């Protein structure tokens, strides 16, 4: 007979801590690639879990809970953390232990939460993270004495350098028993008593020379200055947009030449017919018109990731608080709005950290006005076609125009927030409190991984939704075939041409032609699809012998300047992609707000394009 198989129960461990404690970095260091990301049952808050190998041979499920300052939640993210600790989430097993992640450079504030967690009675280990930054700032911490005073294991860690991981695993293994502990009971905490106790503990175990911290304060004296700070922020953003064009020029040329060479190879190898048209006019002309802008997108994200890692972005939020207060929001909304420069979807998801429901809803509704990376190909192709590549003083004119478009989106978002906070989301704005992260040099490995992830996501999008939309549009623009003896371009007889002709009268007052109208329809799937759609439409519309020329050259010969400017104005306010509408529906649990969002943005885009077109005509452009 076979011996009975013993099934060992896998314990559940949660990483808990204040925001900016390095909790997610520690989670990545402990779990590596053994991670799964999903959503908690019944809510939209992200659930990150991974397998943690313990030194005694066991493995545990490690959960990265959203950052919180206490067990009294003020946002949806913090409510999930509290419910997970108290075992109230359906389908989630109760916790066997907690790792309290503490920022060693901000010990007193973080210890208050550790004391609150200790009172629950669950097995608890303290990870004293970023101990290297504390030493850099002239802060000495006696971790052994801190552990003795807390009567808890305290392990020094540096997550980004994988220091202290083995000791942390050993401390956890010693605390996790064979049976789960009893569920903790929620009871009110005496906040003042906890603060006093945390202050006493920090004084007892901490010494400080203050030299590096004084240097950091001198930097903040400039960065956060009411006059110099905003000017510095504007200069950083301005330089970023200049670099997006100037640095990307050469690699974009390489990609463009590669696509053209591949088209020539296919034309030489395949006979004329629908299959060659599908590959050259559909796939390569469409998808290639988007992929060529990958260098610009990576340069944009290089700046964003670097500025986030240095600790500057939170300070930018602080600088923006005064401006945002005038439109009824506070600086906490700045981080989700900043995330929306990458994509409105993660920006909208990031609003979960906002305490006020009205502030959160307002931020969701204006997030699509931030100029996401999907708009960058649209801006780049139109600017490249119609704005001369010349300098205005020390600056490039194309970069100046791109900066103006980003600025127009920001101003539009502030105006929309001002109107919303006095109408549909009317209510008092809460005070703004945000912890400043440490200044530190960005880790090259983390920057590289971030850029790799962005590039992969962009190329996957180009290879899936953009490719599918391009092929569908190519089919609609290629059939029915023109009749025998037809004198007009083939697209005029196609289904796409007929749809464009039917919708053209509605968009003619703002200067849009039939080709633009055709491109706007698949552009609802993703904004950058408008570029691939234009590439396909104009490739099929080209009746010349060689069918040559880039999309920029074709637009330059097909559009008057007022139409090009109106097209740019449209995309500043353009109704968002389907993904944005879907995430808005999920985050608000209602179709009312996605419909409202689409309606007001469509109206704003139409008016902006119309005003721009007629002003340009009147100016004789």
């Amino acid at each position: 007979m076979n011996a009975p198989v013993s099934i060992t129960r896998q314990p559940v461990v949660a990483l808990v801590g204040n925001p900016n404690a390095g909790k997610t970095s520690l989670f990545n260091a402990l779990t590596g690639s053994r991670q799964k990301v999903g959503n908690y049952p019944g809510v939209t808050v992200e659930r990150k879990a991974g397998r943690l190998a313990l030194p005694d041979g066991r493995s545990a499920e490690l959960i990265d809970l959203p950052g919180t300052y206490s067990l009294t939640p003020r946002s949806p993210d913090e409510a999930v953390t509290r419910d997970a600790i108290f075992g109230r989430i359906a389908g989630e097993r109760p916790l066997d232990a907690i790792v309290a992640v503490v920022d060693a450079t901000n010990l007193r504030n973080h210890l208050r939460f550790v004391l609150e967690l200790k009172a629950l009675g669950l097995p608890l280990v303290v990870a004293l993270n970023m101990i290297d930054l504390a030493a850099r700032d002239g802060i000495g911490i006696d971790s052994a004495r801190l552990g003795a005073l807390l009567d808890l294991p305290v392990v020094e860690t540096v997550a980004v350098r994988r220091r202290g991981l083995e000791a942390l695993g050993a401390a956890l293994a010693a605390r996790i028993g064979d049976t789960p502990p009893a569920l903790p009971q929620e009871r009110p905490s005496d906040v003042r008593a906890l603060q006093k106790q945390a202050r006493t503990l920090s004084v007892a175990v901490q010494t400080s020379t203050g030299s590096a911290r004084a240097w950091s304060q001198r930097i903040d004296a400039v960065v956060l200055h009411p006059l110099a700070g905003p000017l510095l922020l504007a200069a950083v953003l301005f330089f970023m947009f200049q670099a997006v064009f100037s640095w990307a020029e050469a690699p974009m040329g390489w990609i463009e030449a590669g696509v053209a060479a591949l088209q020539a190879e296919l034309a030489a190898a395949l006979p004329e017919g629908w299959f060659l048209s599908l590959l050259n006019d559909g796939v390569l002309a469409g998808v290639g018109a988007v992929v060529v802008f990958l260098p610009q997108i990576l340069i944009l994200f290089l700046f964003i990731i670097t500025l986030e890692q240095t600790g500057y972005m939170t300070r930018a939020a602080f600088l923006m608080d005064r401006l945002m207060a005038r439109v009824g929001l506070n600086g906490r909304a700045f981080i989700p709005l900043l995330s929306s420069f990458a994509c409105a979807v993660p920006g909208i998801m990031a609003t979960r950290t906002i305490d006020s429901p009205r502030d959160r809803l307002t931020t969701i509704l204006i997030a699509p006005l931030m100029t996401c990376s999907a708009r960058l190909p649209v801006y780049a192709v139109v600017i490249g076609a119609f704005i001369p590549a010349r300098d205005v003083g020390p600056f490039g004119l194309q970069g100046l125009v791109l900066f103006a478009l980003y600025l127009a989106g920001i101003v539009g978002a502030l105006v929309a927030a001002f109107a919303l906070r006095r109408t549909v989301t009317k209510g008092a704005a809460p005070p703004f409190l945000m912890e400043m992260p440490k200044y530190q040099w960005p880790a090259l490995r983390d920057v590289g991984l971030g850029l790799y992830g962005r590039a992969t996501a962009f190329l996957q999008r180009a290879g899936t939704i953009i490719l599918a939309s391009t092929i569908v549009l190519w089919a609609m623009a290629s059939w029915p075939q023109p009749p025998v003896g037809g004198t007009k371009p083939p697209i005029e007889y196609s289904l796409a041409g007929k749809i464009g002709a039917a919708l053209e009268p509605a968009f003619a007052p703002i200067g849009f032609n039939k080709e633009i109208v055709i491109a706007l329809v698949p552009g609802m799937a993703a904004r950058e699809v408008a570029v691939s759609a234009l590439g396909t439409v104009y490739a099929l519309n080209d009746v010349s012998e060689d069918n040559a020329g880039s999309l920029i050259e074709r637009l330059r010969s097909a559009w008057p300047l007022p139409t090009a400017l109106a097209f740019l104005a449209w995309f500043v306010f353009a109704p968002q992609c389907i993904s944005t509408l879907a995430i808005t529906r999920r985050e608000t649990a209602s179709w009312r707000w996605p419909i409202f969002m689409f309606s007001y943005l469509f109206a704003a885009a139409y008016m902006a394009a119309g005003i721009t077109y007629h002003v340009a005509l009147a100016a004789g452009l």
Side-chain angles (χ1 to χ4, degrees):
M1 295 179 62
N2 294 329
V5 178
S6 174
I7 299 176
T8 304
R9 184 186 63 86
Q10 186 181 50
V12 180
V13 179
L15 289 179
V16 183
N18 293 176
N20 299 320
K23 183 170 53 60
T24 298
S25 296
L26 187 60
F27 173 79
N28 292 335
L30 289 169
T31 60
S33 60
R34 305 178 299 273
Q35 301 178 10
K36 291 182 180 179
V37 179
N39 283 339
Y40 283 97
V43 295
T44 57
V45 176
E46 187 177 80
R47 180 187 190 276
K48 292 179 66 176
R51 187 178 69 84
L52 170 63
L54 297 173
D56 59 5
R58 292 181 295 172
S59 66
E61 182 183 17
L62 188 66
I63 301 174
D64 182 14
L65 292 178
T68 181
Y69 291 101
S70 75
L71 295 175
T72 303
R74 298 180 300 171
S75 68
D77 272 7
E78 293 181 351
V80 164
T81 296
R82 178 206 55 193
D83 291 343
I85 290 173
F86 289 106
R88 297 175 183 168
I89 298 180
E92 291 287 311
R93 292 187 294 141
L95 301 181
D96 290 85
I98 293 174
V99 176
V101 185
V102 171
D103 178 0
T105 68
N106 195 5
L107 189 61
R108 189 178 75 181
N109 289 342
H110 287 234
L111 280 179
R112 191 207 61 78
F113 188 37
V114 172
L115 293 169
E116 190 175 5
L117 292 172
K118 181 186 176 185
L120 299 177
L122 288 172
L124 181 65
V125 175
V126 177
L128 193 59
N129 198 33
M130 295 187 278
I131 194 69
D132 59 331
L133 296 185
R136 182 204 67 180
D137 289 350
I139 300 171
I141 299 175
D142 188 340
S143 57
R145 187 178 183 195
L146 177 61
L149 293 173
L150 286 171
D151 193 24
L152 293 171
V154 174
V155 181
E156 296 183 358
T157 62
V158 181
V160 294
R161 292 182 174 83
R162 303 182 60 83
R163 279 174 46 190
L165 302 187
E166 292 184 5
L168 182 61
L172 264 176
R175 302 286 284 181
I176 298 174
D178 295 329
T179 58
L183 286 175
Q185 299 299 313
E186 188 171 7
R187 57 180 63 88
S189 300
D190 188 335
V191 176
R192 290 186 177 180
L194 290 175
Q195 289 175 337
K196 182 177 179 180
Q197 190 177 355
R199 182 168 58 251
T200 302
L201 282 171
S202 63
V203 170
V205 301
Q206 183 173 290
T207 58
S208 175
T209 64
S211 56
R213 179 160 292 186
W215 181 72
S216 178
Q217 289 172 348
R218 286 195 292 270
I219 296 178
D220 277 341
V222 177
V223 170
L224 301 180
H225 189 274
L227 178 60
L231 291 176
L232 177 62
L233 176 59
V236 168
L237 295 176
F238 187 79
F239 177 75
M240 179 172 70
F241 297 129
Q242 288 286 315
V244 163
F245 267 95
S246 59
W247 295 1
E249 186 174 352
M252 286 178 66
W254 302 334
I255 296 174
E256 201 169 56
V259 171
L262 187 54
Q263 286 177 312
E265 290 288 334
L266 289 174
L270 297 174
E272 287 288 337
W274 69 266
F275 185 62
L276 177 61
S277 176
L278 169 63
L279 295 179
N280 270 355
D281 301 331
V283 175
L284 290 178
V287 176
V290 176
V291 173
V292 71
F293 298 106
L294 177 61
Q296 290 184 326
I297 290 172
L298 290 181
I299 291 169
L300 176 65
F301 280 115
L302 172 64
F303 278 92
I304 291 176
I305 294 170
T306 301
L307 293 175
E308 284 177 343
Q309 290 202 357
T310 59
Y312 180 74
M313 281 305 188
T314 303
R315 289 163 173 85
F318 178 83
L319 290 172
M320 293 295 294
D321 179 59
R322 182 178 300 178
L323 175 61
M324 301 190 77
R326 295 176 180 175
V327 300
L329 295 173
N330 65 36
R332 192 171 292 278
F334 178 76
I335 301 299
L337 293 178
L338 186 69
S339 301
S340 298
F341 278 114
C343 177
V345 171
I348 289 171
M349 294 172 67
T351 63
R352 299 165 185 164
T353 61
I354 297 176
D355 304 344
S356 166
R358 294 181 184 275
D359 273 15
R360 182 171 184 252
L361 178 58
T362 305
T363 308
I364 288 173
L365 293 176
I366 67 173
L369 287 168
M370 298 294 103
T371 302
C372 65
S373 58
R375 283 187 179 102
L376 189 56
V378 179
Y379 289 165
V381 72
V382 178
I383 290 173
F386 293 95
I387 306 301
R390 59 183 176 85
D391 293 335
V392 178
F395 308 114
L397 179 59
Q398 292 182 332
L400 282 172
V401 173
L402 181 63
F403 179 74
L405 291 169
Y406 271 76
L407 188 62
I410 294 170
V411 172
L414 294 176
V415 171
F418 182 85
L420 290 169
R421 291 295 281 137
R422 283 152 182 80
T423 52
V424 294
T425 61
K426 189 175 182 180
F432 174 53
L433 295 173
M434 181 173 282
E435 182 181 336
M436 293 293 180
K438 284 67 57 188
Y439 284 113
Q440 55 184 318
W441 288 107
L444 293 179
R445 180 176 179 272
D446 290 345
V447 173
L449 288 173
L451 290 177
Y452 174 78
R454 299 297 184 182
T456 302
F458 178 78
L459 293 176
Q460 285 176 343
R461 193 178 178 95
T464 53
I465 187 170
I466 295 175
L467 177 61
S469 301
T470 299
I471 291 174
V472 170
L473 179 62
W474 170 85
M476 293 176 63
S478 299
W479 280 284
Q481 293 287 326
V484 177
T487 58
K488 296 184 291 185
I491 197 172
E492 298 280 347
Y493 303 96
S494 69
L495 177 59
K498 292 174 182 177
I499 293 174
L503 294 176
E504 187 178 13
F507 290 88
I510 63 174
F512 286 8
N513 58 27
K514 181 165 54 181
E515 289 78 13
I516 294 176
V517 175
I518 293 173
L520 289 181
V521 176
M524 276 299 299
R527 287 187 180 98
E528 64 268 43
V529 173
V531 174
S532 65
L534 286 171
T536 298
V537 168
Y538 279 102
L540 292 171
N541 214 15
D542 193 338
V543 294
S544 63
E545 287 292 327
D546 58 359
N547 193 27
S550 68
L551 177 58
I552 287 178
E553 294 168 344
R554 286 168 171 156
L555 294 184
R556 190 179 290 141
S557 62
W559 293 3
L561 181 56
T563 292
L565 297 177
F567 191 70
L568 289 175
W570 170 276
F571 268 90
V572 170
F573 301 96
Q576 52 282 95
C577 62
I578 293 173
S579 299
T580 305
L581 294 173
I583 198 66
T584 302
R585 161 66 179 85
R586 196 176 75 171
E587 294 294 318
T588 62
S590 169
W591 278 111
R592 172 189 176 190
W593 297 114
I595 293 172
F596 174 81
M597 177 190 285
F598 177 87
S599 301
Y600 100 80
L601 288 176
F602 184 92
Y606 194 94
M607 288 190 293
I611 292 171
T612 302
Y613 178 69
H614 290 289
V615 169
L617 283 178
L621 298 179

